[in-house]
Amino acid sequence: MKELLIIAIGSALVNNVVLSQFLGICPFLGVSKKVETAAGMGGAVVFVITIASFVAGLIYKYILVNPAIPGNSDGKLAYLQTIVFILVIACLVQFVEMFLKKGMPSLYQALGVYLPLITTNCAVLGVALTNVQKEYSLLEGVLNGIGTSVGFLIAIVILAGLREKMEYNDISESFRGTPIVLITSALMAIAFFGFSGLI
């Protein structure tokens, strides 16, 4: 139980996917203008990363490295992991996109082009590959996926809240827009570095 808690806290706060590993920067910077939109994107990423961790773990364990499959005695199919994981992620994102289009059209419109970009979000693929590299069990992999995606959600919502506040600040012309957002993100990364003493 202690190891599972360390995995969850470590992936959410200590090794935050955006602020520590610098994965998933595109949606992090692009969808963080409003808190509602950022929370919606974070929720979609939580769903996709969690399910992708589970499905990718199943496929890797029971197909790609399963010696019971003919011709796969030495796990020869393991080289297909990246392609298979990308296909799994693409299918899940299509599912999320269809669900939001039918169930939450306003959020679907607000997310715009960034929703299909979850397919190419390196954070999602990064979690699946990390689970394989660290040889996590299925439960540990899913917990790592949940922790990572919750860390993404926390980071994007905090940045969106800060960006909403910054709209009312008097910022010099040379720092308006992207520069102040990047500086704010860097300060957030420094702040999250303080969590490194937790584990």
Side-chain angles (χ1 to χ4, degrees):
M1 186 65 180
K2 183 181 176 184
E3 290 178 12
L4 297 177
L5 190 62
I6 288 173
I7 289 172
I9 291 174
S11 57
L13 298 175
V14 178
N15 299 318
N16 187 283
V17 70
V18 177
L19 301 174
S20 177
Q21 299 175 22
F22 308 112
L23 299 175
I25 297 291
C26 178
F28 177 68
L29 297 176
V31 189
S32 59
K33 292 178 183 170
K34 300 285 179 194
V35 172
E36 296 83 14
T37 311
M41 175 58 117
V45 168
V46 167
F47 177 80
V48 171
I49 287 182
T50 303
I51 302 300
S53 297
F54 178 71
V55 175
L58 282 177
I59 291 172
Y60 183 79
K61 184 175 182 181
Y62 293 108
I63 296 175
L64 297 180
V65 294
N66 188 354
I69 293 177
N72 194 30
S73 58
D74 298 331
K76 294 177 184 175
L77 297 177
Y79 74 95
L80 293 171
Q81 67 186 12
T82 305
I83 296 169
V84 171
F85 293 168
I86 289 172
L87 290 173
V88 167
I89 292 164
C91 292
L92 288 170
V93 170
Q94 288 299 314
F95 175 74
V96 170
E97 194 171 355
M98 289 187 301
F99 173 76
L100 290 179
K101 194 172 186 179
K102 289 281 187 189
M104 302 175 186
S106 60
L107 180 59
Y108 176 79
Q109 292 294 330
L111 291 174
V113 71
Y114 293 100
L115 187 57
L117 280 177
I118 296 176
T119 305
T120 58
N121 187 344
C122 51
V124 184
L125 180 61
V127 171
L129 293 175
T130 299
N131 291 343
V132 169
Q133 289 171 351
K134 292 191 175 181
E135 298 179 354
Y136 284 152
S137 68
L138 200 57
L139 177 61
E140 290 172 337
V142 171
L143 207 56
N144 182 46
I146 292 170
T148 301
S149 56
V150 167
F152 179 86
L153 174 66
I154 291 168
I156 196 170
V157 168
I158 289 174
L159 181 63
L162 292 172
R163 286 180 74 173
E164 283 186 357
K165 298 287 184 189
M166 282 190 293
E167 286 181 17
Y168 303 107
N169 293 346
D170 186 25
I171 299 170
S172 69
E173 186 68 32
S174 58
F175 284 106
R176 284 190 191 144
T178 306
I180 195 67
V181 174
L182 292 173
I183 291 170
T184 305
S185 301
L187 292 173
M188 285 176 58
I190 292 170
F192 268 70
F193 185 71
F195 289 117
S196 61
L198 283 176
I199 59 171

